[in-house]
Amino acid sequence: MNDTIIISIIMTVIGASTPILLAALGELIVEKSGVLNLGIEGMMLIGAVVGFAVTLTTGFHLLGIVVAMLASTLSAMLFAYLTLTLTANQVATGLALTIFGIGISSLMGEPYVGKTIEIFSSWFPASLAEHPQLRVIFGYSPLVYLSLILTISVSYFLKKTRAGLILRAVGESDLSAHSIGYSVIGVRYAAVAFGGAMAGLAGCYFSLVLTPLWSEELTAGRGWIALALVVFAAWKPSRLLFGAYLFGAIMTLELHAKAAGFSFIAPELLAAMPYLATIVVLALISLRKSSGLAAPACLAKPFKPST
Amino acid sequence: MTEKTDYRIELSAITKSFPGVLANDNVSFAIKPGEIHALLGENGAGKSTLVKMIYGIMQPDEGEIRWEGEAIKVANPKAARKLGVGMVFQHFSLFEAMTVLENIALGMDAKISQNLLEEKIREVMDVYGLKLDPHRIVSTLSVGERQRIEIVRALLLNPRLLIMDEPTSVLTPQEVAQLFETLRKLSATGCSILYISHKLHEIKELCDQATILRGGKVVGECDPKQETSKSMAEMMIGGDLKQIEKDVKTEFGDPRFVVDNLSQVGEGDFGVALSNISFSVRAGEIFGIAGVAGNGQNELLMALSGEVPTSNADTIKLDGKSVADQNILQRRKHGLCAVPEERNGHAAVVDFSLSDNAILTARERMNLASGGLIKHSEARSYTDNVISTFGVKTTGSASPAGSLSGGNLQKFVVGREIMQNPDVLLISQPTWGVDAGAAAAIHQAIVDLAENGSAIIVISQDLDELLAICDEMAVINEGKLSKTLKVGEASVDEIGLLMGGIHGDPNANQDSVENAHAH
């Protein structure tokens, strides 16, 4: 195996990992506030289609990304209104959001199927971005660097800032936070909004960077992997980064196996690997007894303040 | 409108209603600077609602709160803290998975660096003799230490009024003494204290003035030092206090329930392991298990009731039969009935009707089901029987368990087990959150059941309760059971020391050991 192959493997792994990292960072914040939003997949699809449509019409990637994030946040606010204000069941509402996202993205994406746009590629000069070796550092879409900055920011936010402390407090004990005088519902709305924006960003990564085109159910269940990843990472941003790249590696196994000419494992089985890995990881984690401490104590519990 | 006043806070004609209940009806009283003022009343008398309005968690419908002479509106807890009102909650508002420091930081409104905050915390702890390690995770602390966090949090704001909501219900006698010392120091600096409790001897010891609430109304004011506990209790319940009729017994029957070296590993992160628990209860005897919450009471109850069976069958014997490997249903057939601590969701299914709830535990012993079919009319008549015998206030056997007040539901679940006439009754926190009238009825029923030759085990955090009804008792601490003590021979100090055990901080225990020796 020579350098070129190794570099291209690293780059595909990072490429495949970035959207699940982005979506999982958002969900991490949502879950830390005590809300379980199972609608990531749906929000990602809405972001993907809106980002693609806006970029195709206007020609500006950044505008596409911003509008996509707004659209996903809007769908997240629908979820927030139902679960936080009306205290609907979070699991059922999240599933409904995913189904809604699949449906509406297919409907909105109809006119755009088969069209292509320019990839949202590296901002570095071509001499760096396309350099045979240096491209392993400089050759990515700006969203990849953004995902790393966001990982560090989320980690810093949770550990070091007062707002992060309040967010964790709300997820840990909503009643206590309420009795001290924090707005539980307000904090949770903000967290869900952030989760929506991040899912939108992750969706854009598919339609503007990875494929650059739109097809139905473009995200292919990656939202669910992001969800599993949050549990796998025990709600810690640093482990989230590691986990995302691990899953990214598993996801691209099929590709690399094909390229390397492996034929003794059915490609279908390899394609199923990330999902199997998700199930195995979740099963292993629930076997481990000490994992109970990691989950926010109020996860998915509706909160109704007494007045 | 500002006028000169001697009072720190005055409440006048405060009224607050919830759908169907008038929680506070025209409540007025006032507290002077440096005064320790007791707010007395039974559960549901409206004490908590009243202080929540002072602390800004709720808003009064009518009436006025004056702070140092000035009429104010307390919009939220932040506003209350700004005025100088601190509050220590009955159910602590703490975050289990966070450190002491983070918990205190969450209660501060001003932005302050962690280092400076830690310095301030150590300062306050020095002044008031409170000991805490700011970097410990709350879930590893004892209840007494957790309360200290709340107190430090309140003290850091230099309060001029500190509200304490039932602060001693979870403390050992030594911890109570320590708390009182802190409160006296605080009142000497001019801080007013509003002390909520239904424990009369504490109020006599600590408070300068008392306001008594009943059914949301002020029914009296008194100087607790001039009153007897009995006179205050009668004001509180608005009638004569029924004494439990219990003969002092020295003769008991054969051992009916014997636990021999029962050990069990703890479940999950917060579970407590039980180690080498041994005791025996004879026919006609009431055996009490005291201890501070979270020392293995739940685990013990589940091991004894059969919710969590053990593989070694001989560790629990019921009338000579080894039952430790049997589940709860099998043990019930052999005559063991149990009432767990939590009424909602553990002892009763909230959304089920009372008669369905009766079927859940009484179907075998009372023959309420046969061949897989429920006998509804038998179930209804059994339920009606429980309701009338135990004076449960409800609209009937068809009403859902969740529609009953805490005290009534407790009477029902206790009655449901006692009416099955068990050979052995296991009961945890029999009167937790229950008013004095209902508590007396439950205590009497337990005593009467023992008279008929049943063996009874009562697990409770309420030492007064155990001393009143038990013949013998032991203390559970960190999953270990102390030696058996005879009620009447054991001193409260001795029991308190056993409750403290090695839990909590070593210095506090050192002090209390010395205190105990001094007595």
Side-chain angles (χ1 to χ4, degrees):
Chain A
M1 236 192 269
N2 59 31
D3 285 2
T4 339
I5 295 180
I6 293 174
I7 286 174
S8 86
I9 287 180
I10 292 175
M11 291 190 72
T12 37
V13 167
I14 291 181
S17 311
T18 299
I20 52 171
L21 176 61
L22 287 168
L25 278 173
E27 182 69 10
L28 178 87
I29 292 286
V30 174
E31 293 191 12
K32 273 286 182 187
S33 82
V35 180
L36 180 67
N37 186 352
L38 295 183
I40 306 182
E41 179 78 3
M43 297 188 295
M44 277 170 73
L45 281 167
I46 291 174
V49 73
V50 170
F52 186 82
V54 173
T55 309
L56 184 70
T57 353
T58 64
F60 294 110
H61 289 100
L62 280 179
L63 186 67
I65 290 169
V66 170
V67 177
M69 286 170 77
L70 285 176
S72 298
T73 307
L74 198 70
S75 68
M77 287 298 92
L78 183 68
F79 170 84
Y81 179 72
L82 291 169
T83 56
L84 301 178
T85 305
L86 305 179
T87 61
N89 182 297
Q90 294 180 4
V91 171
T93 313
L95 290 174
L97 178 58
T98 285
I99 298 165
F100 170 72
I102 292 172
I104 197 157
S105 63
S106 300
L107 181 72
M108 287 166 64
E110 245 291 48
Y112 304 105
V113 174
K115 298 197 172 142
T116 54
I117 52 168
E118 200 187 323
I119 291 191
F120 185 48
S121 57
S122 178
W123 280 342
F124 293 105
S127 59
L128 289 174
E130 282 158 32
H131 185 278
Q133 271 91 44
L134 289 180
R135 69 192 178 104
V136 78
I137 299 169
F138 297 106
Y140 306 99
S141 162
L143 292 185
V144 173
Y145 305 105
L146 181 65
S147 73
L148 296 175
I149 295 168
L150 281 168
T151 309
I152 296 166
S153 311
V154 164
S155 176
Y156 180 83
F157 171 79
L158 287 174
K159 271 196 210 132
K160 298 283 180 191
T161 67
R162 187 172 165 79
L165 180 64
I166 294 169
L167 179 94
R168 283 189 288 140
V170 165
E172 201 53 52
S173 172
D174 44 13
L175 287 173
S176 296
H178 176 69
S179 63
I180 294 178
Y182 293 111
S183 164
V184 174
I185 300 291
V187 169
R188 288 187 175 168
Y189 258 99
V192 171
F194 178 77
M198 292 296 279
L201 193 59
C204 278
Y205 190 88
F206 278 96
S207 61
L208 300 187
V209 181
L210 263 190
T211 53
L213 49 78
W214 168 255
S215 68
E216 271 187 35
E217 298 190 40
L218 180 68
T219 55
R222 299 294 200 258
W224 299 109
I225 293 179
L227 206 60
L229 195 57
V230 177
V231 182
F232 171 75
W235 292 269
K236 289 191 183 77
S238 51
R239 279 176 66 174
L240 203 62
L241 184 70
F242 165 75
Y245 286 163
L246 182 70
F247 271 89
I250 300 171
M251 276 186 275
T252 50
L253 249 166
E254 183 201 2
L255 223 66
H256 300 307
K258 229 183 255 167
F262 279 163
S263 55
F264 54 89
I265 303 174
E268 289 81 2
L269 186 64
L270 284 174
M273 280 306 285
Y275 307 98
L276 289 174
T278 306
I279 294 171
V280 171
V281 161
L282 290 180
L284 285 177
I285 284 170
S286 52
L287 276 181
R288 219 181 48 198
K289 278 196 169 172
S290 65
S291 68
L293 245 181
C298 290
L299 189 58
K301 280 190 204 145
F303 174 72
K304 247 195 187 135
S306 55
T307 47
Chain B
M1 197 184 76
T2 313
E3 51 185 280
K4 212 60 191 134
T5 172
D6 293 337
Y7 293 110
R8 172 113 330 137
I9 189 168
E10 294 163 87
L11 304 182
S12 70
I14 299 285
T15 298
K16 174 81 183 173
S17 62
F18 296 113
V21 229
L22 197 55
N24 285 139
D25 184 4
N26 215 358
V27 174
S28 307
F29 66 90
I31 309 173
K32 287 181 189 145
E35 177 182 297
I36 305 182
H37 191 111
L39 194 56
L40 253 174
E42 296 205 273
N43 288 294
K47 296 169 299 186
S48 292
T49 308
L50 191 63
V51 294
K52 277 181 182 165
M53 288 188 284
I54 300 177
Y55 197 59
I57 299 174
M58 293 177 185
Q59 300 300 323
D61 297 340
E62 275 167 56
E64 192 179 59
I65 300 174
R66 280 191 300 278
W67 180 257
E68 294 176 340
E70 208 166 321
I72 48 156
K73 256 189 89 107
V74 192
N76 53 46
K78 219 173 226 177
R81 288 195 291 263
K82 216 171 154 200
L83 282 173
V85 182
M87 174 139 178
V88 175
F89 293 92
Q90 176 183 12
H91 302 289
F92 303 148
S93 54
L94 294 179
F95 306 95
E96 296 265 324
M98 297 188 178
T99 65
V100 173
L101 193 62
E102 285 175 324
N103 266 282
I104 294 175
L106 278 165
M108 307 288 290
D109 296 316
K111 272 206 168 180
I112 181 169
S113 82
Q114 296 252 322
N115 293 337
L116 193 62
L117 181 64
E118 194 175 332
E119 216 170 277
K120 279 186 148 187
I121 291 171
R122 293 196 188 278
E123 214 172 281
V124 166
M125 289 195 300
D126 274 352
V127 172
Y128 293 99
L130 300 160
K131 291 190 180 70
L132 269 177
D133 175 2
H135 296 288
R136 286 272 293 274
I137 303 278
V138 172
S139 61
T140 65
L141 300 179
S142 73
V143 190
E145 289 172 298
R146 288 175 196 213
Q147 187 179 51
R148 259 173 259 161
I149 303 177
E150 292 254 355
I151 294 172
V152 169
R153 184 151 81 181
L155 292 181
L156 275 170
L157 300 161
N158 299 316
R160 285 184 290 164
L161 170 67
L162 182 66
I163 305 171
M164 308 276 305
D165 191 357
E166 305 261 2
T168 59
S169 52
V170 290
L171 301 184
T172 64
Q174 281 81 7
E175 285 173 317
V176 170
Q178 215 182 12
L179 172 70
F180 283 7
E181 206 167 303
T182 306
L183 293 181
R184 286 197 190 101
K185 271 186 198 168
L186 190 62
S187 102
T189 67
C191 178
S192 309
I193 295 167
L194 182 58
Y195 188 90
I196 301 168
S197 181
H198 58 252
K199 292 192 180 171
L200 300 156
H201 58 271
E202 291 179 356
I203 285 172
K204 270 180 74 69
E205 191 187 330
L206 183 73
C207 300
D208 310 311
Q209 186 70 29
T211 299
I212 297 149
L213 284 182
R214 187 171 71 234
K217 287 195 181 93
V218 174
V219 292
E221 298 241 0
C222 64
D223 177 354
K225 299 206 163 69
Q226 308 297 324
E227 301 283 329
T228 65
S229 292
K230 189 161 182 282
S231 66
M232 286 196 285
E234 285 173 354
M235 269 196 265
M236 215 162 88
I237 58 176
D240 289 339
L241 189 66
K242 243 177 91 184
Q243 290 295 327
I244 302 163
E245 293 166 30
K246 178 170 163 43
D247 305 327
V248 180
K249 272 189 291 189
T250 46
E251 299 276 309
F252 297 101
D254 296 329
R256 298 203 81 163
F257 191 69
V258 181
V259 179
D260 182 22
N261 253 322
L262 174 70
S263 294
Q264 210 163 56
V265 289
E267 286 268 331
D269 295 323
F270 300 112
V272 178
L274 300 174
S275 70
N276 301 323
I277 294 206
S278 302
F279 65 91
S280 84
V281 192
R282 292 161 291 186
E285 185 179 20
I286 304 178
F287 185 83
I289 296 175
V292 174
N295 271 300
Q297 286 96 329
N298 284 335
E299 288 79 2
L300 181 61
L301 178 104
M302 291 203 273
L304 297 183
S305 72
E307 239 178 279
V308 183
T310 333
S311 49
N312 185 355
D314 293 332
T315 51
I316 301 175
K317 286 197 173 121
L318 188 65
D319 282 332
K321 287 186 290 284
S322 299
V323 295
D325 59 340
Q326 295 184 348
N327 65 28
I328 196 161
L329 268 180
Q330 294 164 315
R331 289 190 206 184
R332 206 174 262 136
K333 268 185 229 168
H334 289 133
L336 173 88
C337 289
V339 183
E341 170 180 349
E342 178 61 48
R343 293 185 276 274
N344 299 320
H346 199 173
V349 182
V350 178
D351 296 328
F352 275 21
S353 70
L354 291 180
S355 71
D356 285 350
N357 270 298
I359 293 164
L360 285 177
T361 76
R363 64 180 184 280
E364 285 290 341
R365 292 184 69 80
M366 304 314 291
N367 193 22
L368 303 181
S370 70
L373 294 176
I374 293 167
K375 300 182 190 166
H376 276 291
S377 61
E378 277 90 339
R380 267 195 301 275
S381 67
Y382 176 67
T383 309
D384 288 335
N385 206 351
V386 171
I387 291 171
S388 63
T389 312
F390 280 80
V392 180
K393 277 183 212 142
T394 169
T395 49
S397 60
S399 52
S403 70
L404 271 61
S405 72
N408 273 307
L409 185 56
Q410 185 69 12
K411 280 200 269 188
F412 176 77
V413 294
V414 171
R416 176 184 69 182
E417 304 305 324
I418 287 182
M419 299 278 288
Q420 295 178 39
N421 203 12
D423 299 324
V424 176
L425 177 70
L426 187 58
I427 184 163
S428 182
Q429 311 295 356
T431 59
W432 177 71
V434 167
D435 62 64
I442 289 171
H443 286 156
Q444 193 60 55
I446 293 172
V447 169
D448 292 346
L449 184 68
E451 286 296 320
N452 292 333
S454 299
I456 298 172
I457 300 109
V458 180
I459 301 175
S460 178
Q461 287 167 46
D462 187 343
L463 211 48
D464 298 339
E465 167 174 88
L466 294 177
L467 293 174
I469 62 173
C470 296
D471 302 299
E472 288 192 345
M473 62 185 290
V475 177
I476 190 167
N477 183 45
E478 298 199 324
K480 296 186 185 70
L481 200 65
S482 74
K483 64 180 193 300
T484 299
L485 306 162
K486 279 205 164 44
V487 171
E489 291 173 16
S491 75
V492 172
D493 268 334
E494 190 182 346
I495 298 167
L497 283 179
L498 289 170
M499 281 164 84
I502 50 169
H503 218 107
D505 77 68
N507 297 320
N509 276 326
Q510 200 55 49
D511 290 346
S512 36
V513 170
E514 280 160 20
N515 284 342
H517 284 306
H519 283 299

